[in-house]
């Protein structure tokens, strides 16, 4: 069988909606023989379930194998041009860039008056946008055109354009500083996750404090406020101060009086809701969590903005991830598993479109749901998708705790013959990733101490001792990160009391609601 290969052209075609494909065909229909070839190749690729270059060439004799790469490159470009035209009417930024291109064309032909008229129209539109770079680009062209449009009040116009340019440059400088810091913090988080020790804490604090000047936040634009809250959330998430995360997430969401209509701000609104839901889950704010989750789910029917694939995937990811979080909060693992079984096929289809970080976290949540419901073999299946992943440098903390839960799952299955092997393997991994801390050492030591001769009384005593050790760690500034991933305290109490772990968690949740 021919080897299947991925191909950018194929994946681009697969991402297109029916109406986008129809527009492309109408746009390129009946122009010349060369265009007919592009449409034939488009149709051939559109019908394939998986890309197979050799099969395409064999089934289409008109294709010259030596020209196939060029044919694909030209078709790829034509599709992008078609998508640009199709989305221009609904995407303000694309429309403004197109107007700027027209301004340059007219300027190069010395049609300065026409160029200035088009610029003024673009300037009216750009005022509704918060795209500072495009605003500066329009102002650049206004400065270029000013010498060719001298008239009454010219000096006033020059002063106004200079003032506007200086103001936007200041905003762009702040935005660049904030986005640079955001990217830097995000890269560290994607690698290590929450802080592990004082060294991690000092490193993050140093990056955070050294790169943010003293600014008057009252002068911030809407976009700057969003970025500012994003930075604050990143920092407090790192150090696991979920009360501060909660406060900044509320400020973020409250910036929007109603769901925004532009794709960019709709995505930012989604991110804000996601942060708020995470904080509400961590702080066990059950009623507020349910209300926020309803707002998130309702956005699926939002018709004021066209939900592109990126937004659809985010909505799907956030909606189900937080539905799972809701089940974790109250220990209702059975309902979580029931939901998983209903959406399993759809879920697998979306997994391939998720970024690696989101994929990893989703696998871990699913594994923990199955574990909580005592579906241990199913839990192992999802844990193995993490453990066997080649992306060990993405969220090393999740990789580490997946291996810990894997060990506990094998214990629950009675797989004593493989536990020693997995203990050694986990030790090697944790040492390699510099992530062997008290939490992991206590659990590994406990599992290592077990033998076939261990009596039930000794086992219960071992559970009690391990619970006491871990409860002390739960108050630690750095070790408490372990309990974000897996409620091992409740699991130990379920073993000690011989009750389902979900029952233990539900009782705790009810007690917190009463308090």
């Amino acid at each position: 069988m021919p080897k299947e290969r991925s191909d950018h052209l194929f994946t681009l075609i697969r991402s297109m909606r029916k109406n986008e494909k129809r527009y492309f065909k109408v746009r390129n229909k009946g122009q010349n023989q060369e265009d007919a070839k592009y449409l034939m190749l488009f149709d051939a690729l559109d019908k394939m379930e998986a890309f197979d270059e050799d099969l395409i060439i064999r089934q289409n004799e008109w294709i010259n194998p030596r020209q196939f790469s060029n044919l694909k490159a030209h078709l790829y470009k034509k599709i992008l041009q078609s998508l640009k035209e199709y989305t221009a009417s609904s995407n303000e930024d694309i429309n403004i860039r197109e107007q700027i291109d027209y301004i340059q064309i007219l300027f190069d032909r010395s049609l300065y008056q026409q160029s200035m008229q088009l610029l003024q129209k673009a300037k009216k539109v750009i005022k509704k946008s918060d795209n500072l770079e495009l605003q500066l680009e329009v102002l650049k062209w206004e400065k270029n055109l000013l010498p060719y449009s001298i008239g009454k009040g010219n000096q006033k116009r020059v002063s106004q354009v200079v003032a506007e340019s200086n103001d936007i440059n200041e905003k762009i400088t702040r935005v660049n500083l904030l986005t640079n810091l955001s990217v830097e913090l995000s890269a560290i988080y994607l690698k290590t996750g929450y802080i592990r020790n004082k060294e991690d804490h000092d490193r993050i604090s140093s990056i955070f404090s050294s790169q943010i000047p003293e600014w008057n936040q009252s002068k911030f634009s809407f976009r700057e406020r969003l970025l500012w809250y994003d930075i604050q959330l990143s920092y407090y998430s790192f150090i696991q101060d979920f009360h501060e995360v909660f406060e900044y997430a509320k400020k973020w969401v409250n910036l929007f009086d109603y769901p925004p209509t532009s794709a960019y701000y709709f995505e930012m609104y989604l991110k804000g809701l996601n942060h708020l839901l995470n904080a509400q889950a961590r702080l066990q704010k059950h009623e507020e969590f349910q209300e926020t989750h309803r707002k998130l789910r309702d956005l699926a029917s939002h018709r004021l903005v066209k939900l592109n694939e990126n937004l659809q995937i985010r909505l799907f990811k956030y909606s189900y991830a937080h539905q799972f979080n809701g089940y974790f909060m109250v220990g209702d693992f059975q309902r979580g598993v029931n939901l998983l079984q209903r959406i399993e096929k759809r879920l697998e289809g979306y997994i391939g479109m998720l970024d690696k970080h989101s994929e990893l976290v989703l696998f871990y949540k699913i594994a923990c749901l199955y574990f909580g419901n005592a579906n241990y073999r199913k839990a192992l299946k999802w844990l193995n998708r993490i453990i066997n992943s080649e992306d060990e440098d993405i969220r090393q903390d999740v990789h580490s705790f997946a291996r810990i839960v894997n060990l506990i799952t094998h214990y629950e299955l009675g797989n004593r013959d493989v536990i020693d092997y997995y203990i050694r393997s986990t030790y090697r991994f944790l040492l390699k990733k510099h992530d062997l801390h008290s939490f992991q050492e206590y659990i590994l030591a406990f599992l290592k101490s077990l033998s076939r001769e261990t009596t039930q009384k000794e086992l219960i005593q071992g559970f009690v001792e391990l619970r006491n050790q871990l409860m002390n760690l739960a108050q630690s500034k750095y070790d408490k990160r372990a309990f974000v991933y897996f409620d091992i305290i409740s699991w130990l109490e379920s073993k000690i009391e011989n009750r389902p772990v979900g029952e233990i968690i539900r009782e705790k949740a009810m007690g917190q609601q009463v308090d």
Side-chain angles (χ1 to χ4, degrees):
M1 289 181 67
K3 183 182 179 182
E4 291 184 0
R5 297 188 294 263
S6 62
D7 183 87
H8 292 313
L9 175 60
F10 175 71
T11 53
L12 176 62
I13 292 171
R14 297 277 288 184
S15 75
M16 295 171 71
R17 299 190 186 98
K18 286 183 180 179
N19 48 0
E20 291 170 337
K21 292 176 182 178
R22 191 183 310 116
Y23 181 84
F24 172 78
K25 290 181 179 181
V26 170
R27 181 183 184 274
N28 293 279
K29 189 176 181 180
Q31 295 183 14
N32 54 50
Q33 188 176 0
E34 210 50 35
D35 287 322
K37 287 184 178 180
Y38 295 133
L39 285 177
M40 290 164 65
L41 179 57
F42 181 90
D43 286 335
L45 289 167
D46 191 30
K47 291 173 184 175
M48 299 188 82
E49 288 297 320
F51 179 71
D52 188 332
E53 185 172 306
D54 297 332
L55 182 61
I56 283 279
I57 293 172
R58 282 202 313 273
Q59 290 182 344
N60 297 274
E61 295 180 357
W62 56 272
I63 296 177
N64 184 334
R66 287 177 295 180
Q67 296 177 352
F68 190 47
S69 291
N70 286 335
L71 188 64
K72 287 196 301 177
H74 286 300
L75 176 56
Y76 190 87
K77 184 177 179 180
K78 278 182 170 291
I79 293 173
L80 289 179
Q81 289 170 340
S82 173
L83 290 172
K84 178 185 175 184
E85 287 180 10
Y86 185 82
T87 56
S89 60
S90 59
N91 189 308
E92 285 183 357
D93 286 355
I94 290 177
N95 187 39
I96 292 166
R97 288 191 192 98
E98 189 175 62
Q99 298 304 308
I100 291 171
D101 290 341
Y102 294 155
I103 290 167
Q104 172 143 24
I105 290 169
L106 293 170
F107 181 86
D108 291 345
R109 291 174 176 271
S110 300
L111 300 172
Y112 306 124
Q113 187 176 359
Q114 293 182 43
S115 188
M116 179 60 86
Q117 286 176 344
L118 196 56
L119 183 138
Q120 293 305 322
K121 289 180 182 178
K123 201 170 180 182
K124 286 180 182 178
V125 175
I126 197 73
K127 283 182 179 178
K128 300 175 186 176
S129 167
D130 204 22
N131 189 321
L132 298 172
E133 291 76 15
L134 281 180
Q135 289 183 33
L136 194 62
E137 183 72 8
V138 169
L139 283 168
K140 184 199 83 172
W141 276 106
E142 188 165 12
K143 283 186 278 189
N144 287 345
L145 285 164
L146 278 173
Y148 301 98
S149 58
I150 296 172
K152 187 178 179 181
N154 192 63
Q155 188 59 48
K156 184 178 178 181
R157 284 177 60 206
V158 169
S159 299
Q160 184 179 345
V161 170
V162 169
E164 287 177 10
S165 297
N166 289 336
D167 180 56
I168 289 173
N169 271 317
E170 286 180 18
K171 290 178 179 177
I172 287 175
T173 298
R174 289 197 294 267
V175 166
N176 279 335
L177 280 169
L178 291 171
T179 52
N180 288 345
L181 181 54
S182 177
V183 168
E184 191 173 355
L185 291 172
S186 177
I188 297 170
Y189 180 72
L190 288 177
K191 183 175 182 180
T192 61
Y194 297 111
I195 58 170
R196 300 164 296 183
N197 47 43
K198 187 177 185 301
E199 183 182 344
D200 281 353
H201 184 277
D202 292 346
R203 179 188 176 196
I204 296 301
S205 296
S206 174
I207 292 171
F208 191 83
S209 59
S210 66
Q211 295 189 29
I212 296 187
E214 291 292 330
W215 282 328
N216 183 355
Q217 295 173 41
S218 65
K219 293 184 178 181
F220 280 5
S221 66
F222 187 85
R223 183 181 177 190
E224 290 170 278
R225 287 187 187 281
L226 278 177
L227 290 169
W228 179 256
Y229 295 154
D230 192 14
I231 292 295
Q232 301 295 329
L233 277 165
S234 296
Y235 174 71
Y236 288 113
S237 293
F238 258 122
I239 65 173
Q240 300 169 79
D241 186 340
F242 294 114
H243 290 282
E244 286 295 329
V245 172
F246 174 68
E247 292 302 324
Y248 276 103
K250 275 199 303 185
K251 290 178 182 179
W252 180 327
V253 171
N254 289 340
L255 279 176
F256 300 90
D257 295 326
Y258 43 80
T261 56
S262 78
Y264 171 75
Y265 284 115
F266 190 85
E267 181 176 352
M268 294 301 285
Y269 183 58
L270 282 179
K271 285 180 67 177
L273 288 173
N274 176 54
H275 285 305
L276 183 56
L277 283 161
N278 278 328
Q280 288 167 341
R282 299 284 183 246
L283 299 173
Q284 294 291 312
K285 294 179 178 290
H286 301 274
E287 291 184 9
E288 291 182 39
F289 177 90
Q290 294 300 331
E291 179 59 32
T292 307
H293 194 229
R294 273 193 292 274
K295 283 184 183 178
L296 180 68
R297 291 199 310 271
D298 289 345
L299 292 177
S301 58
H302 188 53
R303 291 290 176 263
L304 296 177
V305 62
K306 187 175 278 187
L307 296 181
N308 57 40
E309 282 76 8
N310 175 47
L311 295 178
Q312 287 179 29
I313 290 168
R314 280 188 179 272
L315 259 176
F316 177 86
K317 177 178 73 174
Y318 293 153
S319 293
Y320 284 110
H322 289 298
Q323 196 153 352
F324 296 155
N325 285 343
Y327 297 139
F328 282 122
M329 289 168 73
V330 296
D332 199 347
F333 299 108
Q334 182 62 60
R335 285 183 66 192
V337 167
N338 291 342
L339 172 64
L340 279 171
Q341 290 170 344
R342 288 200 306 272
I343 67 168
E344 191 168 0
K345 285 186 179 178
R346 189 180 173 205
L347 184 66
E348 286 292 352
Y350 268 97
I351 283 172
M353 294 184 279
L354 294 175
D355 60 275
K356 291 298 181 183
H357 171 245
S358 299
E359 186 180 281
L360 194 70
V361 173
L362 182 63
F363 290 171
Y364 190 81
K365 285 182 185 293
I366 292 172
C368 288
L369 271 177
Y370 278 123
F371 182 94
N373 200 50
N375 299 95
Y376 300 121
R377 296 198 182 279
K378 281 276 194 179
L380 281 181
K381 170 192 166 185
W382 290 93
L383 290 168
N384 283 331
R385 292 179 76 165
I386 299 172
I387 293 167
N388 297 328
S389 166
E390 296 178 357
D391 303 303
E392 287 183 358
D393 284 336
I394 297 175
R395 288 300 299 272
Q396 292 174 1
D397 54 343
V398 173
H399 277 280
S400 297
F401 288 105
R403 283 160 170 79
I404 295 294
V405 178
N406 179 65
L407 273 169
I408 296 171
T409 306
H410 279 292
Y411 164 79
E412 287 283 23
L413 286 168
N415 298 336
R416 301 291 176 87
D417 51 334
V418 299
I419 283 180
D420 283 344
Y421 164 78
Y422 281 117
I423 286 174
R424 290 193 298 272
S425 173
T426 301
Y427 261 120
R428 286 195 299 271
F429 179 85
L430 295 173
L431 287 170
K432 183 174 75 171
K433 299 299 179 183
H434 307 290
D435 201 18
L436 183 58
H437 301 283
S438 298
F439 176 87
Q440 294 96 324
E441 286 181 332
Y442 287 149
I443 296 170
L444 291 171
F446 167 75
L447 292 170
K448 197 173 181 180
S449 70
L450 299 178
S451 70
R452 296 187 187 278
E453 288 73 38
T454 304
T455 66
Q456 183 65 22
K457 184 178 179 181
E458 290 170 335
L459 184 61
I460 296 298
Q461 184 58 38
F463 283 133
V464 171
E465 289 175 5
L466 180 58
R467 181 196 60 183
N468 293 340
Q469 289 172 323
L470 297 183
M471 284 184 73
N472 290 331
L473 291 182
Q475 309 306 317
S476 164
K477 189 174 185 179
Y478 306 116
D479 290 306
K480 67 180 181 181
R481 72 190 178 110
F483 304 93
V484 170
Y485 304 98
F486 177 63
D487 190 353
I488 192 169
I489 301 292
S490 292
W491 174 75
L492 288 168
E493 289 172 352
S494 77
K495 305 309 289 183
I496 294 166
E497 299 174 25
N498 194 26
R499 291 196 291 153
V501 65
E503 192 177 304
I504 302 286
I505 294 173
R506 275 193 296 277
E507 285 182 4
K508 290 181 180 180
M510 289 176 66
Q512 287 173 328
Q513 287 176 358
V514 170
D515 292 343

XYZ file of all heavy atoms in Angstrom, residues 312-352:
351
model
N -14.871 27.729 16.471
C -15.649 26.514 16.717
C -14.875 25.532 17.580
O -15.427 24.924 18.510
C -16.018 25.862 15.379
C -17.079 26.608 14.602
C -17.381 25.931 13.276
O -17.251 24.722 13.143
N -17.782 26.709 12.294
N -13.593 25.366 17.282
C -12.752 24.430 18.045
C -12.606 24.915 19.484
O -12.692 24.136 20.442
C -11.378 24.261 17.375
C -11.539 23.486 16.060
C -10.402 23.528 18.297
C -10.312 23.520 15.182
N -12.393 26.230 19.657
C -12.265 26.776 21.024
C -13.555 26.566 21.816
O -13.521 26.197 22.989
C -11.911 28.259 20.964
C -10.445 28.524 20.693
C -10.124 29.996 20.850
N -8.727 30.260 20.608
C -7.774 30.196 21.530
N -8.078 29.841 22.760
N -6.521 30.472 21.233
N -14.694 26.831 21.165
C -15.970 26.637 21.840
C -16.164 25.189 22.252
O -16.590 24.890 23.366
C -17.121 27.066 20.919
C -17.740 28.438 21.175
C -18.795 28.752 20.125
C -18.337 28.526 22.568
N -15.851 24.285 21.331
C -15.980 22.860 21.623
C -15.065 22.469 22.786
O -15.489 21.821 23.750
C -15.624 22.040 20.384
C -15.654 20.547 20.605
C -16.838 19.838 20.467
C -14.506 19.848 20.944
C -16.877 18.470 20.673
C -14.530 18.483 21.158
C -15.724 17.789 21.014
N -13.815 22.901 22.703
C -12.820 22.547 23.723
C -13.214 23.081 25.094
O -13.241 22.334 26.085
C -11.461 23.116 23.304
C -10.345 22.889 24.311
C -9.026 23.444 23.784
C -8.987 24.942 23.815
N -7.658 25.481 23.451
N -13.539 24.370 25.176
C -13.876 24.971 26.457
C -15.175 24.399 27.020
O -15.277 24.126 28.222
C -14.011 26.492 26.318
C -12.729 27.228 25.989
C -12.749 28.442 25.314
C -11.488 26.722 26.369
C -11.581 29.139 25.016
C -10.312 27.401 26.081
C -10.371 28.609 25.405
O -9.213 29.291 25.111
N -16.174 24.218 26.167
C -17.476 23.749 26.646
C -17.362 22.389 27.312
O -17.845 22.179 28.438
C -18.483 23.673 25.488
O -18.776 24.953 25.001
N -16.711 21.447 26.633
C -16.625 20.095 27.182
C -15.589 19.986 28.301
O -15.804 19.272 29.282
C -16.340 19.083 26.074
C -17.562 18.798 25.244
C -17.669 19.236 23.933
C -18.667 18.137 25.793
C -18.809 19.002 23.174
C -19.804 17.901 25.055
C -19.873 18.333 23.749
O -21.012 18.110 23.020
N -14.477 20.710 28.169
C -13.467 20.670 29.245
C -14.080 21.138 30.560
O -13.858 20.537 31.618
C -12.267 21.533 28.873
N -14.898 22.189 30.500
C -15.489 22.706 31.739
C -16.696 21.885 32.176
O -17.019 21.865 33.364
C -15.830 24.178 31.575
C -14.618 25.045 31.529
N -13.735 25.139 32.589
C -14.093 25.822 30.549
C -12.745 25.947 32.275
N -12.933 26.370 31.041
N -17.339 21.216 31.241
C -18.384 20.284 31.666
C -17.739 19.152 32.473
O -18.269 18.736 33.511
C -19.130 19.715 30.456
C -20.452 19.060 30.849
C -21.464 19.097 29.728
O -21.257 19.731 28.700
N -22.582 18.414 29.910
N -16.581 18.689 32.016
C -15.829 17.679 32.777
C -15.427 18.242 34.141
O -15.533 17.560 35.160
C -14.575 17.248 32.011
C -14.859 16.552 30.701
C -13.923 16.574 29.678
C -16.048 15.868 30.496
C -14.175 15.934 28.476
C -16.307 15.230 29.293
C -15.368 15.251 28.277
N -14.945 19.504 34.153
C -14.544 20.127 35.425
C -15.715 20.188 36.403
O -15.532 20.011 37.613
C -14.010 21.540 35.174
C -12.621 21.544 34.580
O -11.923 20.538 34.624
N -12.226 22.660 34.003
N -16.913 20.439 35.871
C -18.104 20.466 36.721
C -18.348 19.131 37.391
O -18.725 19.070 38.570
N -18.119 18.049 36.654
C -18.285 16.711 37.228
C -17.199 16.428 38.271
O -17.465 15.799 39.296
C -18.242 15.646 36.132
C -19.368 15.771 35.124
C -19.138 15.575 33.768
C -20.661 16.085 35.522
C -20.160 15.696 32.833
C -21.695 16.209 34.603
C -21.435 16.013 33.259
O -22.445 16.134 32.342
N -15.975 16.892 38.007
C -14.894 16.721 38.985
C -15.243 17.420 40.301
O -14.980 16.906 41.388
C -13.574 17.297 38.454
C -12.866 16.423 37.464
C -12.574 16.880 36.184
C -12.476 15.140 37.797
C -11.921 16.087 35.268
C -11.806 14.324 36.886
C -11.536 14.802 35.617
N -15.799 18.613 40.208
C -16.086 19.417 41.400
C -17.015 18.693 42.361
O -16.878 18.811 43.583
C -16.711 20.754 40.992
C -15.749 21.722 40.324
S -16.623 23.122 39.567
C -17.109 24.041 41.011
N -17.987 17.950 41.822
C -18.983 17.292 42.681
C -18.812 15.775 42.707
O -19.648 15.060 43.260
C -20.418 17.658 42.237
C -20.664 19.145 42.420
C -20.671 17.262 40.782
N -17.732 15.279 42.093
C -17.469 13.840 42.124
C -18.455 13.009 41.324
O -18.616 11.814 41.587
N -19.114 13.612 40.334
C -20.109 12.880 39.533
C -19.432 12.275 38.304
O -19.687 12.669 37.159
C -21.244 13.824 39.119
C -22.497 13.055 38.703
O -22.389 11.831 38.508
O -23.560 13.681 38.570
N -18.579 11.284 38.556
C -17.789 10.684 37.471
C -18.651 9.879 36.505
O -18.333 9.774 35.323
C -16.682 9.809 38.062
C -15.721 10.578 38.926
C -15.716 10.435 40.305
C -14.829 11.459 38.357
C -14.843 11.146 41.100
C -13.938 12.188 39.134
C -13.946 12.027 40.503
N -19.754 9.311 36.999
C -20.615 8.513 36.132
C -21.205 9.364 35.009
O -21.209 8.969 33.851
C -21.751 7.875 36.942
C -22.685 6.978 36.114
C -21.962 5.788 35.509
O -21.409 4.963 36.235
N -21.950 5.707 34.176
N -21.681 10.556 35.348
C -22.238 11.431 34.312
C -21.146 11.865 33.334
O -21.394 12.019 32.136
C -22.894 12.666 34.942
C -24.228 12.352 35.596
C -24.870 13.619 36.135
N -25.244 14.536 35.071
C -25.610 15.805 35.284
N -25.614 16.292 36.527
N -25.964 16.574 34.284
N -19.949 12.077 33.850
C -18.830 12.437 32.972
C -18.526 11.343 31.969
O -18.323 11.603 30.779
N -18.514 10.106 32.436
C -18.260 8.966 31.555
C -19.398 8.803 30.548
O -19.167 8.521 29.361
C -18.053 7.674 32.377
C -18.099 6.439 31.491
C -16.723 7.749 33.133
N -20.632 9.005 30.990
C -21.772 8.918 30.072
C -21.646 9.940 28.945
O -21.929 9.640 27.778
C -23.090 9.144 30.821
C -23.418 7.997 31.762
O -22.865 6.901 31.641
N -24.314 8.229 32.700
N -21.224 11.152 29.307
C -21.027 12.192 28.292
C -19.919 11.795 27.327
O -20.068 11.934 26.103
C -20.679 13.521 28.972
C -20.261 14.669 28.033
C -21.419 15.057 27.111
C -19.784 15.876 28.836
N -18.818 11.288 27.862
C -17.704 10.868 27.012
C -18.139 9.826 25.988
O -17.759 9.879 24.818
C -16.577 10.283 27.880
C -15.645 11.280 28.553
C -14.734 10.566 29.549
C -14.803 12.018 27.522
N -18.926 8.893 26.436
C -19.366 7.824 25.533
C -20.282 8.358 24.438
O -20.271 7.858 23.317
C -20.057 6.721 26.337
C -19.075 5.942 27.218
C -19.753 5.004 28.190
O -20.957 5.113 28.445
N -18.992 4.081 28.758
N -21.060 9.416 24.756
C -21.958 9.991 23.748
C -21.203 10.782 22.684
O -21.610 10.807 21.528
C -22.994 10.914 24.417
C -24.062 10.191 25.204
C -25.282 11.082 25.421
N -24.945 12.367 26.023
C -24.869 12.579 27.333
N -25.067 11.578 28.178
N -24.581 13.781 27.806
N -20.106 11.439 23.096
C -19.414 12.333 22.159
C -18.099 11.755 21.645
O -17.335 12.451 20.983
C -19.135 13.703 22.816
C -18.105 13.557 23.964
C -20.409 14.353 23.290
C -17.575 14.876 24.458
N -17.842 10.466 21.932
C -16.525 9.892 21.642
C -16.109 10.056 20.180
O -14.982 10.471 19.886
C -16.505 8.399 22.014
C -15.103 7.826 21.997
C -15.032 6.455 22.640
O -16.073 5.945 23.101
O -13.931 5.896 22.675
N -17.023 9.749 19.238
C -16.664 9.856 17.820
C -16.386 11.305 17.436
O -15.413 11.606 16.735
C -17.786 9.290 16.950
C -17.846 7.772 16.947
C -18.884 7.266 15.956
C -18.916 5.732 15.956
N -19.949 5.211 15.028
N -17.253 12.192 17.880
C -17.062 13.610 17.579
C -15.776 14.134 18.217
O -15.043 14.937 17.637
C -18.270 14.402 18.090
C -18.284 15.849 17.656
C -19.505 16.548 18.207
N -19.451 17.975 17.939
C -20.068 18.895 18.653
N -20.813 18.535 19.683
N -19.975 20.173 18.356
N -15.494 13.655 19.422
C -14.303 14.072 20.151
C -13.039 13.702 19.392
O -12.126 14.520 19.236
C -14.296 13.421 21.536
C -13.179 13.819 22.488
C -13.293 15.278 22.874
C -13.215 12.952 23.738
N -12.977 12.474 18.890
C -11.792 12.037 18.148
C -11.580 12.897 16.908
O -10.451 13.168 16.517
C -11.925 10.566 17.758
C -11.732 9.587 18.907
C -10.300 9.555 19.431
O -9.405 10.169 18.814
O -10.072 8.928 20.481
N -12.687 13.335 16.287
C -12.568 14.199 15.117
C -11.968 15.551 15.455
O -11.195 16.111 14.668
N -12.290 16.067 16.639
C -11.777 17.370 17.051
C -10.345 17.294 17.584
O -9.601 18.271 17.488
C -12.682 17.987 18.123
C -13.765 18.870 17.564
C -15.044 18.378 17.355
C -13.518 20.203 17.248
C -16.049 19.176 16.843
C -14.511 21.016 16.734
C -15.780 20.501 16.533
O -16.770 21.296 16.019
N -9.975 16.153 18.152
C -8.650 16.032 18.770
C -7.539 16.373 17.787
O -6.574 17.055 18.123
C -8.452 14.613 19.369
C -9.215 14.516 20.695
C -6.978 14.303 19.588
C -9.269 13.126 21.284
N -7.693 15.909 16.538
C -6.669 16.189 15.534
C -6.511 17.656 15.203
O -5.487 18.070 14.639
